[in-house]
């Protein structure tokens, strides 16, 4: 008995079969790919129904819209906005939309105005928003999907996805090739052996009692 075998027999860590390791790695890759695919579909498919998506880059909304999540919004008439809604609006001088919650609505000089605030902020936004025209209201959000969107849209992400698809296709072809090779290498009975087996089967059947 070798030293390695002795350690295994005495209760050492058992060796992992290469086939099991490959299966575990493959299952992990499939699981991660499935989660990423579902997240991307959840934020891209609604676009065909008129929805939009915004990547959350700040933490002003706290757990309601965590950093890195994607907010899926739908364009509505701003007259239908209510207190508690999370809306996206353009702040003067800002390059990206602000996504905050409506905390108060008032009529000022015939105009309907709203006070907004991030859930994680202690005070309201300095500018009062006039609720006129159309704007976007958040319908739901997908956590972490923003990171995935940024990655797949980057040059590195495109290269990585291409390599992953090529590796998956190659692994599938190798698996099929190995299966076909093993099936071809399996021993087949010779003609004499097959005849002997048939003769034995006939003798056994002839010994069975006849049905009445």
């Amino acid at each position: 008995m070798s030293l390695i075998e002795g350690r295994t027999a005495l209760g050492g860590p058992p060796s992992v079969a290469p086939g099991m390791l490959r299966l575990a790695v493959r299952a992990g890759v499939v699981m991660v790919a499935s989660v990423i695919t579902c997240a991307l579909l959840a934020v891209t498919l609604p676009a065909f129904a008129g929805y939009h998506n915004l990547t959350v880059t700040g933490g002003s909304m706290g757990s309601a819209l965590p950093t890195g999540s994607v907010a899926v919004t739908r364009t509505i008439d701003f007259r239908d906005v209510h207190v508690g809604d999370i809306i996206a609006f353009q702040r003067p001088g800002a390059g990206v939309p602000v996504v905050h919650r409506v905390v108060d609505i008032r009529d000022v000089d015939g105009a309907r105005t709203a006070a907004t605030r991030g859930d994680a902020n202690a005070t309201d936004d300095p500018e009062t928003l006039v609720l006129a025209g159309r704007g976007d209201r958040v319908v739901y959000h997908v956590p972490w999907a923003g990171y995935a969107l940024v990655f797949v849209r980057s040059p590195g992400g495109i290269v990585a996805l291409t390599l992953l698809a090529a590796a998956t296709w190659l692994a599938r072809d190798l698996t099929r090739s190995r299966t076909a090779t093993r099936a071809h290498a399996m021993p087949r009975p010779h003609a004499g052996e097959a005849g002997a087996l048939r003769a034995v089967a006939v003798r056994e059947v002839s010994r069975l009692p006849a049905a009445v």
Side-chain angles (χ1 to χ4, degrees):
M1 179 182 293
S2 66
L3 182 59
I4 296 179
E5 291 174 345
R7 287 178 179 176
T8 303
L10 292 175
S15 59
V16 180
M20 294 296 295
L21 182 59
R22 286 195 299 268
L23 182 61
V25 172
R26 193 174 302 171
V29 171
V30 170
M31 183 179 298
V32 172
S34 299
V35 171
I36 294 176
T37 301
C38 291
L40 293 178
L41 289 177
V43 300
T44 55
L45 285 182
F48 295 99
Y51 292 81
H52 310 99
N53 60 71
L54 298 170
T55 301
V56 181
T57 57
S60 62
M61 284 299 296
S63 59
L65 288 176
T67 302
S69 62
V70 170
V72 178
T73 67
R74 188 169 191 178
T75 303
I76 62 169
D77 191 327
F78 258 173
R79 291 176 297 182
D80 297 330
V81 170
H82 304 285
V83 173
D85 289 344
I86 301 176
I87 60 175
F89 57 92
Q90 197 72 36
R91 181 177 291 170
V96 295
V98 177
V99 184
H100 279 176
R101 191 182 302 275
V102 176
V103 295
D104 188 27
I105 295 178
R106 297 181 180 181
D107 290 325
V108 179
D109 298 331
R112 193 165 184 252
T113 62
T116 55
R117 181 197 306 174
D119 288 1
N121 295 343
T123 59
D124 295 349
D125 296 333
E127 301 88 3
T128 300
L129 181 66
V130 178
L131 297 177
R134 300 178 65 81
D136 286 348
R137 178 167 57 193
V138 175
V139 181
Y140 65 90
H141 76 280
V142 182
W144 308 106
Y147 297 119
L149 278 179
V150 172
F151 175 72
V152 299
R153 290 172 179 173
S154 66
I158 295 174
V159 172
L161 291 177
T162 303
L163 292 177
L164 178 61
T168 303
W169 186 268
L170 180 61
R172 196 172 101 181
D173 283 351
L174 288 176
T175 302
R176 288 181 177 178
S177 177
R178 289 178 180 175
T179 303
T181 302
R182 290 175 183 173
H184 182 72
M186 289 180 63
R188 298 182 179 179
H190 297 290
E193 295 177 354
L197 291 175
R198 286 196 295 268
V200 171
V202 170
R203 285 199 301 271
E204 294 297 328
V205 172
S206 64
R207 294 178 182 174
L208 296 175
V212 179

